[in-house]
């Protein structure tokens, strides 16, 4: 009877040890799978972040270019106004000089 109890105890311990090891193996496998998934998610997030930065930089560059073109056009118009005004002043001065010369 004691021998049978010993055998049952040994079988129970063996079964417990095997079951425990299977459980630990599953836990390790799950840890590895989770770590791999988290790494992939991290890489995707990093890629998305980089893409978002690129899109934002493209938009910023396009906006800057658009503003610079608008500023350039505005400056061209202003320069044209000033050149026109200077030309008018020059013509008026030339006419005065001609008038003064003719009157002498």
């Amino acid at each position: 009877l004691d021998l049978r109890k010993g055998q049952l105890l040994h079988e129970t311990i063996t079964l417990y040890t095997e079951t425990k090891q299977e459980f630990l193996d599953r836990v390790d496998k799950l840890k590895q799978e989770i770590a791999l998934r988290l790494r992939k998610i991290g890489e995707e997030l990093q890629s998305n972040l980089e893409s978002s930065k690129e899109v934002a930089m493209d938009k910023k560059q396009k906006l800057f270019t658009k503003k610079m073109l608008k500023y350039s056009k505005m400056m061209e118009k202003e320069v044209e106004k000033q050149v026109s005004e200077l030309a008018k002043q020059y013509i008026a001065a030339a006419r005065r000089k001609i008038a003064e010369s003719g009157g002498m």
Side-chain angles (χ1 to χ4, degrees):
L1 188 64
D2 285 339
L3 183 61
R4 181 71 183 139
K5 284 182 183 178
Q7 282 179 329
L8 286 174
L9 182 60
H10 176 71
E11 289 174 11
T12 303
I13 291 172
T14 302
L15 183 62
Y16 168 78
T17 305
E18 289 172 356
T19 304
K20 180 181 174 185
Q21 190 57 47
E22 287 173 8
F23 174 77
L24 292 175
D25 290 344
R26 284 189 205 150
V27 167
D28 286 341
K29 185 177 178 182
L30 285 173
K31 283 181 183 178
Q32 291 172 358
E33 288 175 3
I34 289 170
L36 180 63
R37 287 180 188 164
L38 288 174
R39 203 171 306 118
K40 285 181 181 179
I41 290 170
E43 290 170 359
E44 286 178 25
L45 288 173
Q46 182 66 29
S47 175
N48 290 342
L49 178 62
E50 289 170 4
S51 294
S52 295
K53 283 181 181 178
E54 288 173 9
V55 167
M57 288 302 292
D58 286 346
K59 285 182 179 180
K60 192 174 184 179
Q61 182 64 36
K62 287 177 184 176
L63 181 62
F64 176 77
T65 301
K66 186 177 177 181
K67 294 288 185 182
M68 284 304 294
L69 285 172
K70 188 175 181 180
Y71 177 75
S72 294
K73 287 179 183 178
M74 182 184 73
M75 289 304 294
E76 285 176 18
K77 287 180 182 178
E78 191 60 35
V79 167
E80 286 174 11
K81 282 182 187 177
Q82 290 178 3
V83 167
S84 176
E85 185 61 34
L86 286 173
K88 286 177 186 176
Q89 290 174 6
Y90 177 76
I91 291 170
R95 286 183 180 156
R96 278 193 305 270
K97 193 153 196 140
I98 290 172
E100 290 173 2
S101 298
M104 289 179 144

